[in-house]
């Protein structure tokens, strides 16, 4: 089986795995315990916090570790809403946000939520964002990179608008963490979330940054871990492994993106024989993560195409794994305003650091064969 679903999750890096085992066996103490074994775990934890803060260009005092991106999004939004910059009960969010964002917003019954669609390039329209703001708007939440089509949202422009209107701005950085240099935009947001398993770190670990100038109130009262940000014993081994994986991916960002551009080009070229049926949802290269390709093949349901590819030994997906479990259309297809039939045609192909060009070409050729056989039968 050849894997093309790296946007869903990645294999654990060997160095990260080694650090995880070492930390689990040698730094096994509870980082909140006051004895020497606990202090050793605490020292390792704080070293990881400082290293990740340096990679992200943020103050380590605002960096908190969580169980992953979904919990991070939940806790970040709750933290910002606990101390809004002004009175109000209105929130603006991208319609294509991750399901964890929709989950937390759906429970906020006292708030009015405005969901922004995407334009034809898969981007938020800044003018539409401006026009959606009311005196009651206290929070904007827009993901940095869409997990299903890989478009990179204009964080700088959104942050500028939020600052002008005295509004908190949260951004989901799960798909951009380790893939883009984030130092220029991390100071612009009130909070952001990230996850370890998208960058060859362990599952079940991630983090949140909240601007230290924001005096948030904890969602879970009485917690002693992570300065009260969340309850539960801190997973120091997973955090250490994530820090190793983050450093390795960060060191090869430019090299990796150049490779992904070449792989993306190879796939598009391989699909040339059926180009009249293929529609790739993407932005200009400057606003596109090259490792994620979201596309539709006219007349063929994405789930059927995914199963056919699986039968031929290729693992692709029909969108975010968190959404697939609910058997709902990929949220990005709704945000793009696609028809009900078109939403069913969506598939996602995503590359990782082990993806080979010859495998990409073979995948493309296999999809071409599948489509030709299907069209002949129709």
């Amino acid at each position: 089986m050849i894997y093309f679903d790296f946007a869903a999750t990645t294999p654990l890096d060997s160095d990260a795995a080694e650090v995880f085992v070492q930390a689990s066996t040698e730094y096994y103490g509870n980082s909140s315990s006051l004895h020497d074994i606990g202090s050793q775990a605490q020292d390792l934890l704080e070293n990881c916090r400082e290293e990740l803060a340096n990679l992200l260009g943020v103050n380590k005092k605002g960096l908190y570790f969580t169980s992953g991106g979904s919990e991070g999004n939940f806790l970040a939004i709750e933290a910002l809403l606990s101390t809004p910059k002004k009175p109000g009960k209105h929130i603006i969010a991208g319609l294509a946000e991750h399901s964890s964002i929709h989950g937390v917003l759906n429970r906020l019954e006292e708030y009015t939520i405005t969901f922004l669609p995407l334009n034809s390039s898969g981007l938020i329209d800044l003018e539409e964002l401006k026009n959606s703001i009311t005196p009651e708007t206290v929070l904007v939440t827009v993901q940095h990179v869409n997990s299903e089509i890989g478009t990179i949202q204009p964080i700088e422009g959104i942050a500028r608008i939020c600052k002008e209107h005295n509004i908190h701005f949260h951004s989901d950085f799960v798909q951009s963490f380790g893939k883009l240099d984030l130092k220029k935009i991390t100071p612009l947001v009130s909070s952001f979330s990230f996850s370890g398993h998208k960058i060859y770190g362990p599952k079940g670990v991630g983090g949140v940054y909240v601007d230290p100038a924001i005096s948030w109130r904890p969602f879970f009262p009485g917690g002693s871990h992570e300065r009260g940000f969340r309850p539960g014993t801190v997973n120091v081994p997973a955090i250490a492994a994530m820090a190793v994986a983050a450093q390795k991916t960060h060191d090869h960002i430019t090299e990796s993106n150049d490779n992904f551009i070449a792989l993306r080009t190879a796939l598009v070229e391989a699909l040339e024989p059926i180009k009249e049926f293929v529609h790739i949802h993407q932005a200009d290269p400057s606003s596109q993560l090259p490792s994620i390709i979201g596309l539709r093949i006219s007349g063929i349901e994405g789930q059927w195409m995914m199963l056919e590819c699986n039968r031929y030994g290729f693992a692709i997906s029909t969108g975010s794994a968190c959404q697939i479990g609910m058997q709902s259309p990929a949220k990005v297809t709704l945000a793009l305003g696609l028809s009900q039939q078109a939403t069913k045609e969506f598939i996602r192909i995503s590359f990782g650091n082990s993806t080979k060009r010859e495998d990409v070409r073979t995948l493309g050729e296999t999809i071409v064969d599948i489509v030709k056989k299907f069209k002949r039968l129709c």
Side-chain angles (χ1 to χ4, degrees):
M1 178 67 69
I2 302 173
Y3 191 65
F4 284 101
D5 199 16
F6 289 88
T9 194
T10 58
L12 183 60
D13 175 81
S14 58
D15 291 332
E18 185 176 338
V19 167
F20 182 88
V21 173
Q22 182 181 4
S24 298
T25 55
E26 298 179 20
Y27 296 86
Y28 53 85
N30 187 319
S31 58
S32 294
S33 297
L34 299 180
H35 47 62
D36 287 352
I37 294 177
S39 296
Q40 290 170 0
Q42 176 68 15
D43 289 344
L44 177 58
L45 175 65
E46 294 309 314
N47 285 340
C48 293
R49 196 187 311 275
E50 184 168 1
E51 181 178 343
L52 286 167
N54 289 337
L55 284 179
L56 292 164
V58 298
N59 186 333
K60 68 177 183 179
K61 292 181 179 179
L63 192 59
Y64 306 95
F65 293 113
T66 67
S67 66
S70 293
E71 183 195 31
N73 283 328
F74 179 91
L75 292 178
I77 288 175
E78 291 289 350
L80 296 182
L81 293 179
S82 74
T83 54
K85 292 185 176 183
K86 60 183 180 181
K89 295 291 183 180
H90 178 236
I91 297 171
I92 299 174
L95 183 56
E97 297 299 298
H98 187 264
S99 58
S100 61
I101 294 289
H102 285 270
V104 65
L105 296 181
N106 287 340
R107 64 176 295 277
L108 300 174
E109 296 179 355
E110 69 272 29
Y111 287 83
T112 301
I113 316 293
T114 298
F115 290 105
L116 298 179
L118 301 178
N119 62 23
S120 58
S121 297
L123 301 174
I124 292 289
D125 187 311
L126 295 182
E127 285 302 313
E128 188 164 357
L129 170 60
K130 286 182 185 178
N131 294 335
S132 299
I133 292 174
T134 75
E136 286 275 306
T137 307
V138 294
L139 173 68
V140 169
T141 175
V142 175
Q143 63 193 171
H144 187 200
V145 171
N146 182 269
S147 64
E148 291 164 328
I149 61 174
T151 48
I152 304 171
Q153 300 301 330
I155 296 299
E156 296 92 339
I158 297 171
R160 183 175 62 251
I161 293 169
C162 289
K163 185 176 181 180
E164 290 171 355
H165 292 84
N166 206 27
I167 299 168
H168 280 316
F169 177 26
H170 170 71
S171 189
D172 177 344
F173 283 6
V174 167
Q175 285 292 345
S176 56
F177 177 54
K179 302 169 188 176
L180 298 172
D181 190 347
L182 302 176
K183 284 187 176 181
K184 289 184 179 180
I185 62 172
T186 50
L188 306 179
V189 300
S190 305
S191 64
F192 64 82
S193 56
F194 59 95
S195 180
H197 74 105
K198 307 289 188 180
I199 58 161
Y200 310 93
K203 296 174 177 64
V205 66
V208 164
Y209 174 79
V210 181
D211 185 345
I214 298 172
S215 299
W216 50 268
R217 294 194 302 275
F219 179 78
F220 297 103
S224 59
H225 298 285
E226 289 300 274
R227 301 192 296 282
F229 191 73
R230 70 183 294 267
T233 303
V234 179
N235 191 348
V236 176
I239 291 166
M242 177 175 66
V244 170
Q247 184 66 65
K248 291 184 70 172
T249 55
H250 186 272
D251 289 347
H252 297 94
I253 285 177
T254 301
E255 175 188 339
S256 294
N257 276 320
D258 288 345
N259 182 50
F260 294 145
I261 290 171
L263 295 175
R264 189 183 188 93
T265 301
L267 181 63
V268 172
E269 290 175 351
L271 295 175
E272 184 72 15
I274 56 168
K275 64 180 181 180
E276 68 268 31
F277 304 118
V278 177
H279 184 90
I280 299 175
H281 299 284
Q282 59 188 343
D284 292 334
S286 61
S287 299
Q288 179 68 47
L289 194 72
S291 58
I292 298 178
I293 303 178
L295 61 92
R296 291 183 292 114
I297 299 176
S298 299
I300 299 180
E301 289 200 6
Q303 188 170 6
W304 185 83
M305 176 59 73
M306 181 270 292
L307 292 172
E308 281 294 285
C309 285
N310 186 74
R311 190 164 67 88
Y312 283 99
F314 298 97
I316 67 171
S317 77
T318 55
S320 170
C322 296
Q323 190 66 26
I324 290 168
M326 296 187 287
Q327 297 298 306
S328 302
K331 280 193 168 56
V332 71
T333 62
L334 303 177
L336 289 166
L338 302 183
S339 67
Q340 185 176 3
Q341 176 58 38
T343 64
K344 294 179 180 179
E345 296 169 349
F346 183 81
I347 60 173
R348 180 184 68 186
I349 296 166
S350 49
F351 309 136
N353 60 15
S354 61
T355 306
K356 299 176 181 178
R357 191 173 302 195
E358 55 266 34
D359 290 336
V360 171
R361 284 196 292 264
T362 305
L363 171 64
E365 292 166 359
T366 300
I367 291 175
V368 169
D369 289 342
I370 292 171
V371 172
K372 286 182 175 180
K373 290 176 183 177
F374 179 85
K375 297 295 182 182
R376 281 200 298 268
L377 292 173
C378 293

